[in-house]
Amino acid sequence: GAFVRNCIRCGSPLREGYALRSADVHVHAMMIASSDSIFCSEVARPKAAICPNCGEVSFYIEDPAVLDKKTMW
């Protein structure tokens, strides 16, 4: 079957597919970067999953295989 993410707090199935955005219009979407340098490359954009039971928020990347394709410095 399909992989189901469960809440680390209460064990309930998480609702996936939410985006991480800033409430401030001057800040853009978040990304996972290859380093903390300003000249780093983007590895992935995190998604958010929310627990409908307790409100816990979990961040994940949709395709963990990209970590094998990118050089992490």
Side-chain angles (χ1 to χ4, degrees):
F3 176 78
V4 176
R5 294 178 197 285
N6 291 316
C7 179
I8 61 170
R9 302 281 181 226
C10 70
S12 297
L14 296 175
R15 293 185 183 168
E16 298 182 11
Y18 291 89
L20 177 63
R21 300 277 186 238
S22 172
D24 184 338
V25 299
H26 301 292
V27 179
H28 299 285
M30 308 300 258
M31 71 175 183
I32 305 296
S34 59
S35 74
D36 60 1
S37 167
I38 62 169
F39 300 109
C40 62
S41 61
E42 179 178 329
V43 173
R45 297 217 175 187
K47 297 280 187 171
I50 303 168
C51 178
N53 186 46
C54 72
E56 177 71 19
V57 176
S58 177
F59 297 107
Y60 64 95
I61 58 174
E62 287 186 316
D63 182 13
V66 299
L67 299 175
D68 295 332
K69 298 173 190 169
K70 301 283 184 172
T71 302
M72 302 297 285
W73 299 103

